[in-house]
């Protein structure tokens, strides 16, 4: 379909999303989902990354039924995040980045992979990260809060060697169908399994595959491996860099990042960096314009704000005082990506600031790094 036909299709069909046609997504809790923004969908819950290989899941009868429902315009409850964004005529992930990137496929073809199958080792413990995505985050939460169910820190479901090997074999067997691979983790550039997968992909197929990374960019090498060594093997390599502030505030949010090394890596990998990805939360929502300007002026790199912290819920911008909400809604009304976090700001609060203060106080004590010196507004 051309651009006009795609627009007409989306105007008519309020359910269709490209992702169940285009991408296989599996998270570190062992769940297959339609995308990273979708919730679990009951009919496919029996399939997990530990009991079903990626393409067996993707071509299952249940997934075929999902695709048929979307083509007929039937809404899927797992996609509520996007439907809620669209209620105020806002752009959603479905009608925004997925539509722009993939258009409309009426059947699966040129499939992408976003599979967290290589482990969750990460050298950072970002204060809003889902604990199943970072080993450092889980370790810190356990030391600070014990076994309290603060942020569901124990949901991680790793693959054993056989399960990982079966999944990799399944990918290699279907490599002719793969258009892109979104490598994530943990910190993907520090996961040994991911390098093994790259080495197994035949050159004749690799040259038609785009590699995309969700990386904290703290390290560009692992042992004798370097991301730069694979530039000529694959069609393209894009680095999506996670970054939630700059300077001391970035050091606290993404503890224990080495800012000097991180910014040096921004320069080293500049030609591979597609964008910086900022997750909007209480500790950066007042500074989004400044964050954008800092990285654009200093490095010439664009920052996006399509990711929104919805859990832990007490870190959500929905918990702001109304006067602050009104100020931010006015400040950002013409801001890039505003529609993605506007809806969250407009929601009713669920927590008082005391929950944020207690949480950050506890992390500060463990880190010996006082957050109140940086955020005196709280």
């Amino acid at each position: 379909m051309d651009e006009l036909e795609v627009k007409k299709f989306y105007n008519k069909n309020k359910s269709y999303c490209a992702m169940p046609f285009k991408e296989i997504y599996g998270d570190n809790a062992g769940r297959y989902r339609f995308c990273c923004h979708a919730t679990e969908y009951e009919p496919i819950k029996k399939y997990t990354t530990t009991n079903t290989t990626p393409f067996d899941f993707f071509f299952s009868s249940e997934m075929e039924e999902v695709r048929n429902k979307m083509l007929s315009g039937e809404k899927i409850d797992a996609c509520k995040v996007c439907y809620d964004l669209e209620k105020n005529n806002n752009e959603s992930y479905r009608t925004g980045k997925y539509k722009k990137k993939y258009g409309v496929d009426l059947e699966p073809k040129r499939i992408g992979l976003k599979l967290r199958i290589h482990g969750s080792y990460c050298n950072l413990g970002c204060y809003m990260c889902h604990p199943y995505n970072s080993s450092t985050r889980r370790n810190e939460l356990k030391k600070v809060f014990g076994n309290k169910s603060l942020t569901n820190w124990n949901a991680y479901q790793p693959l054993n060697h056989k399960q990982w090997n079966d999944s990799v074999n399944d990918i290699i067997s279907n490599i002719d169908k793969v258009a892109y691979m979104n490598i994530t983790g943990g910190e993907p550039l520090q996961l040994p399994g991911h390098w093994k997968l790259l080495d197994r992909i035949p050159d004749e197929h690799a040259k038609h595959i785009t590699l995309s990374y969700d990386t904290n960019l703290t390290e560009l090498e692992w042992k004798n491996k370097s991301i730069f060594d694979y530039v000529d093997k694959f069609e393209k390599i894009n680095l999506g860099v996670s970054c939630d502030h700059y300077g001391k505030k970035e050091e606290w949010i993404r503890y224990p990042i080495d800012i000097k090394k991180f910014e040096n890596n921004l320069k080293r990998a500049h030609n591979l960096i597609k964008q910086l990805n900022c997750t909007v939360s209480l500790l950066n929502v007042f500074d989004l314009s400044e964050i954008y300007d800092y990285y654009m002026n200093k490095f010439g790199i664009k920052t996006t704000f399509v990711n929104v912290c919805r859990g832990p819920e007490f870190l959500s911008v929905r918990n702001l005082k109304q006067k602050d909400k009104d100020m931010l809604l006015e400040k950002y009304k013409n801001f890039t990506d505003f529609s993605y976090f506007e809806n969250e700001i407009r929601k009713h609060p669920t927590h008082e600031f005391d929950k944020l203060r207690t949480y950050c106080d506890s992390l500060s004590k463990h880190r010996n790094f006082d957050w109140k010196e940086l955020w005196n507004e709280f």
Side-chain angles (χ1 to χ4, degrees), residues 127 129 157 171 184 236 278 289 304-305 316 357:
Y127 96 123
C129 178
Q157 292 293 324
I171 292 168
T184 187
K236 194 173 184 180
C278 178
S289 300
T304 70
F305 303 90
S316 165
R357 294 189 188 99

Side-chain angles (χ1 to χ4, degrees), residues 55 110-111 113 174-181 208-209:
F55 283 89
R110 300 296 292 154
I111 297 162
L113 305 176
N174 291 278
I175 201 66
D176 59 307
K177 302 179 181 71
V178 177
Y180 69 90
M181 295 170 60
H208 300 298
I209 295 173

Side-chain angles (χ1 to χ4, degrees), residues 2-100:
D2 61 27
E3 187 175 340
L4 181 60
E5 289 174 320
V6 168
K7 184 177 180 180
K8 288 180 179 178
F9 183 90
Y10 272 85
N11 286 339
K12 183 179 180 180
N13 188 314
K14 303 300 182 181
S15 170
Y16 176 87
C17 178
M19 301 312 279
F21 294 78
K22 203 70 183 178
E23 184 173 279
I24 309 176
Y25 175 74
D27 67 22
N28 272 322
R31 303 170 297 190
Y32 284 114
R33 293 187 280 150
F34 304 144
C35 76
C36 61
H37 303 288
T39 57
E40 289 185 89
Y41 184 56
E42 190 64 36
I44 65 171
K45 283 177 72 172
K46 65 181 180 181
Y47 298 114
T48 71
T49 57
T50 59
N51 69 23
T52 307
T53 55
F55 283 89
D56 282 347
F57 156 72
F58 191 68
F59 290 112
S60 66
S61 59
E62 290 84 358
M63 280 300 294
E64 186 62 21
E65 184 178 9
V66 168
R67 290 187 278 266
N68 287 334
K69 285 182 176 180
M70 285 189 167
L71 288 173
S72 67
E74 182 177 342
K75 289 190 173 182
I76 308 294
D77 56 15
C79 303
K80 188 175 184 297
V81 167
C82 280
Y83 301 150
D84 284 349
L85 285 171
E86 294 162 20
K87 283 179 180 177
N88 297 319
N89 295 317
N90 283 337
E91 186 174 84
S92 70
Y93 304 103
R94 181 184 79 88
T95 62
K97 66 177 184 177
Y98 298 152
K99 170 189 169 185
K100 293 170 186 174

Side-chain angles (χ1 to χ4, degrees), residues 5 18 60 162 220 273 309:
E5 289 174 320
S60 66
K162 181 182 183 304
L220 295 172
I273 295 174
C309 179

Side-chain angles (χ1 to χ4, degrees), residues 311-375:
E313 199 173 65
F314 57 86
L315 302 182
S316 165
V317 294
R318 69 185 299 169
N319 297 310
L320 289 165
K321 296 176 181 177
Q322 190 58 48
K323 65 179 181 64
D324 290 326
K325 290 186 175 187
D326 293 340
M327 181 273 290
L328 292 172
L329 290 171
E330 177 63 25
K331 176 180 179 180
Y332 293 130
K333 63 183 181 182
N334 297 315
F335 188 69
T336 180
D337 301 327
F338 175 53
S339 62
Y340 291 96
F341 58 90
E342 177 191 6
N343 193 54
E344 193 71 12
I345 291 176
R346 291 187 183 278
K347 289 180 181 177
H348 293 297
T350 56
H351 292 83
E352 298 291 336
F353 276 128
D354 285 347
K355 185 94 173 185
L356 168 75
R357 294 189 188 99
T358 300
Y359 172 70
C360 292
D361 283 346
S362 299
L363 289 183
S364 288
K365 185 176 180 181
H366 177 258
R367 298 172 174 186
N368 195 28
F369 187 177
D370 190 359
W371 76 292
K372 290 178 181 175
E373 294 179 0
L374 302 172
W375 287 277

Side-chain angles (χ1 to χ4, degrees), residues 28 116 118-124 129-136 138 156 183-191 214-216 242:
N28 272 322
R116 299 178 185 266
H118 305 297
S120 69
Y121 169 76
C122 184
N123 55 342
L124 301 185
C129 178
H130 290 296
Y132 52 70
N133 287 335
S134 167
S135 56
T136 296
R138 292 196 300 277
Y156 176 49
I183 311 293
T184 187
E187 170 44 42
L189 295 174
Q190 298 302 296
L191 299 179
D214 295 329
T215 173
N216 61 38
S242 299

